[in-house]
Amino acid sequence: MIEKTVAELSAALASGEFSSVELTQAYLDHIERHNATLNAYITVCAESALAQARAADAARAAGANNPLLGIPIAHKDIFCTEGVLTTCGSKMLHNFVSPYNATVIEKFNAAGAVMLGKTNMDEFAMGSSNETSYYGPVRNPWDLERVPGGSSGGSAAAVAADLCAMATGTDTGGSIRQPAAFSGITGLKPSYGRVSRWGMIAFASSLDQAGTLSKSAEDSALMLNVMAGLDMKDSTSADKPVDDYAATLNDSLQGLRIGIPRQHFAEGLSPEVEKAVRAALGEYEKLGATLKEIDLPNNHLSVSAYYVVAPAEASANLSRFDGVRYGYRCADPVNLEDMYKRSRSEGFGDEVKRRIMIGTYALSAGFYDAYYRKAQRIRRLIKDDFSRAFQEVDVVIGPTSPHTAFKLGAKTDPVAMYLEDIYTIAVNLAGLPGISIPVGTAAGLPVGMQLVGPDFAEAKLLNIAHQFQCHTDWHRQKPGALGKEA
Amino acid sequence: MEWETVIGLEVHVQLSTASKLFSGSATQFGAAPNTQANIFDLALPGTLPVLNESALAMAVRFGLAIGAHIGKRSVFDRKNYFYPDLPKGYQVSQLDFPTVGKGQLTITLEDGSEKVIGVTRAHMEEDAGKSLHEDFHGMSGIDLNRAGTPLLEIVSEPDLRSAKEAVAYLKKLHSIIRYLDISDAIMAQGSMRCDANVSIRRRGETEFGTRTEIKNINSFRFVEKAINHEVRRQQDVIEDGGRVVQETRLYDADRDETRPMRSKEVANDYRYFPEPDLLPVVIDDAYIEAIRVTLPELPDARKARFISDYKLSEYDAGVLVATREMADYFEQVAQATGDAKLAANWVSQDLQGLLNKHHWDITESPIQADRLADLLKRIQDSTISGKIAKTVFEAMLDDTASVDSIIESKGLKQVTDTGEIEKLVETVIAENPDQVQQFRDGKEQVIGFLVGQAMKLSKGKANPAQVNELLRAKMGS
Amino acid sequence: MALDKSEVAKIAHLARLHISETEADEVTNRITDILALIDQMQSVDTDGVDPLAHPLDVVQRLRPDVVTETDERERLQTLAPASQDGLYLVPQVIE
């Protein structure tokens, strides 16, 4: 039963085929068996999960029947969960039991979802391989020698390996879409402001967005129905009507105009990935869509601009980790400065420190205009590129990542790692919704394809992704590595 | 060598909102440590700010009161530095786009002349917490109750030329803020704080000298002392052939001196950038006008009205409008008695003297405006004399009974019974034959002495006009 | 733009990070590499382009001035590395 999609599980629970307690126990057993190998979870909440499952079964017996009632979920360890360890993948928060819930957590709790635990991630979501976690790397269930992508690598691996039915993630520069691509699942980053950031530990405030990692676009729609919406506690949360994302999944794609950005099919793209993506585009043509080449002329500047904006915001966002009110404090500080410097140097990993340094430098006196303001201007150019494209097409489609999952330890050079996100980063800078869906394999590893829509066009994106999944079964492919490990 | 002093003040005022600038925590003064610090104030990860609408309205109110440009689009920025009383590691403030832009206010100098002082800007920002340095085994204790309390930082132009002008400016600012009711503005409690930027230059020079910033000045009196001390120090430095170093200095009231702050040794690089957790604050004309119509009459306008409507002197009017409460008190008494001059004298002299003696604020006065008016009415209708009224006023301090019953019970009522006064007059005439003769011989001024004798005899209760009249009649003038 | 070790030390101090002598070269080189990536931005002329601070073109919402929080000191201070008498303790603060 654990391999089923949320939509299928929901129907099975509704028909009484099995109970939420049975389902939850099945996931817990599977986690017990495989988490040591995958390292997808930092914390497993067996007891509270079973209690939530019992409550869901009781609610169902009393007549409740919402789509996520009793469905087991995993949450990225970036979401604050009351009474549960919330580490953000960092030693800095190795002892942080959050006293409050993120809005996203509250919403899933209210919908009756069962929280199995908290998933591993790159430290403070800074990474594209899940190797920067204080809790160790996550392994890709398709090939245990490979990374699952990052930073939501634990959530991606957990969904791919059926260690949960669905998972939350966050995406600042590709952190949902890229691990979804590497792990052969569906990953949706909604428009900036669609989902509340309250209780989501900030990396880069103007880029961060919570989203979904799931086994199908339909499941993402069911999740987004729960997550989306205005939150008065988050000034940047959007006051826009929330669609019923499941209602339009089956709309026809006849006449759909797809834009193919030349810059996403350029040098550096692996031929196998290109082949799979082009085949998927052919599939859309069969469904009545037309393809049109478009330009995103400033795309090549997105990584540069991102590595100013994100570290600058992060350098300030991470100043609160000072060893005073919570979290890690170094042993026996000799004075105040020593407490700050050692707590932060011992509590943060190398990549986090590097980005704090870059951000601090970019904001420091004399460099602000050359770096931060310049990056914001480029951000405008990038947003304008997309706005122009969306005057001609309904959706922009290309590869999610230039290649499939790489080997653990293969990328030691930070710059090489940063360039991993060359197709995804511009979407965050522009605040647009994007989704990655599996569209094939290359040498036994999943290939992801990214669909990008205009502001708040999540319903349309999910419709387009779902239609592909109705006519193909790439999203049904299962990783094989776990069977072979022992 | 003749020196000119150049001073600019940065005044921080705690806005008297119920809750904090960006969170729903209370802002009460004097609460037990950290009982008003919620998850946002403690900068727990994942928490986010939402702007308090009253804080914004108060800032705009202030801006309108000083005729300032109101920023229709203001932007919050992060000012980054590490300090244990700053939980987020940055202070949310406004750098390039403050809510209140250029404005001005007028101060009155000692010689009675007026001077316009420019206000560069006033921006909203968060207050920090407090570090308590009592010894916790070599540690400091941090109380974050104050962290996140809304502040308005009001920055003046370097238009002030003496410590006295600085104090006059600060008092004027205080008066306006109290009139607007946007802050308690109590310096001793820290709800109004003042940093002074001080430099000196040779008279006639147009360039400014190197300035120092003096912090920790927590009373009007210390503003004057701290500035004067700093001016002398800078003069000594230069006259000894040295150069003033741009630095932050702390005023030590106990020693009456300033000294450099150690924690600010390394020049700070605050790395300001737009706060990405907040969006631009946009207000329109309708918003501004809705606030403008609620503005009270401000001290300058009120002073002008007191002079024209009540025919008060420039000086009396100035004293009476110094605080809104004092002006309200005066107006209530003036209207109830219909005699503004009488009311002004009593409020600015007798009442003010009483308040000064006991270090009371007018709101703490045991004698309310309606009771003072009752007292003055008894002078007006000749129930008591002005002199007796002062005795009644003293009695009213401890006695909450009505003015009339105090007069009654103490037997202070003026004697107006013609029969009784006749007896007094006859006694005085009988006892002072010499003076009576002098009067009859045409020495008019003797009447004063005789009236005084009669008043003395009546223990002040006789109506002096009546006594005067009867004396003259009896002595047959 | 290449950085030297003293600039790196200055930035580390601003960010309150400790970088040991042995790490200094490595950190300096890495940051220099990243700055080279960032400097690609300088290849495009952005004169006259309005900076975009935020993808949402919306304005700040206001919160009613109401106290919604209660005293949670006891619960929240269990998270603190060091506290006494309701205060958070840190090494002596010198002004």
Side-chain angles (χ1 to χ4, degrees), chain B residues 217-235:
Chain B
I217 316 177
N218 57 16
S219 82
F220 289 111
R221 198 163 58 89
F222 292 159
V223 170
E224 189 168 347
K225 294 183 79 165
I227 291 172
N228 281 333
H229 169 274
E230 179 60 16
V231 168
R232 275 195 306 276
R233 190 191 68 83
Q234 291 187 12
Q235 283 173 6

Side-chain angles (χ1 to χ4, degrees), chain A residues 179-199:
Chain A
F182 280 15
S183 304
I185 60 167
T186 300
L188 170 70
K189 179 202 97 74
S191 307
Y192 183 82
R194 182 69 298 176
V195 177
S196 167
R197 293 190 297 117
W198 174 263

Side-chain angles (χ1 to χ4, degrees), chain A residues 200-272:
Chain A
M200 190 176 112
I201 299 176
F203 160 16
S205 305
S206 76
L207 300 163
D208 293 345
Q209 179 59 207
T212 66
L213 294 117
S214 62
K215 296 175 188 178
S216 71
E218 183 182 18
D219 287 4
S220 280
L222 295 173
M223 291 177 74
L224 190 60
N225 273 349
V226 167
M227 295 167 83
L230 174 65
D231 182 1
M232 296 307 282
K233 289 192 280 199
D234 173 5
S235 297
T236 65
S237 126
D239 188 7
K240 298 254 185 196
V242 176
D243 297 315
D244 178 349
Y245 300 103
T248 51
L249 289 173
N250 291 311
D251 285 4
S252 162
L253 300 187
Q254 197 64 46
L256 179 77
R257 298 168 303 167
I258 295 174
I260 320 267
R262 280 189 193 89
Q263 290 76 6
H264 287 197
F265 290 87
E267 196 193 327
L269 177 62
S270 114
E272 296 100 314

Side-chain angles (χ1 to χ4, degrees), chain A residues 100 199 205 235 317 325-326 340 365, chain B residues 42-43 45-46 49 78 84 87 269 277:
Chain A
Y100 79 107
S205 305
S235 297
N317 281 336
R325 300 161 311 284
Y326 52 82
Y340 280 139
Chain B
L42 297 175
R78 292 183 181 180
D269 180 347
D277 286 332

Side-chain angles (χ1 to χ4, degrees), chain B residues 319-339:
Chain B
V319 170
L320 290 172
V321 300
T323 70
R324 184 180 181 172
E325 290 80 7
M326 176 75 80
D328 286 347
Y329 191 109
F330 158 74
E331 282 215 276
Q332 209 184 324
V333 177
Q335 278 162 14
T337 60
D339 185 342

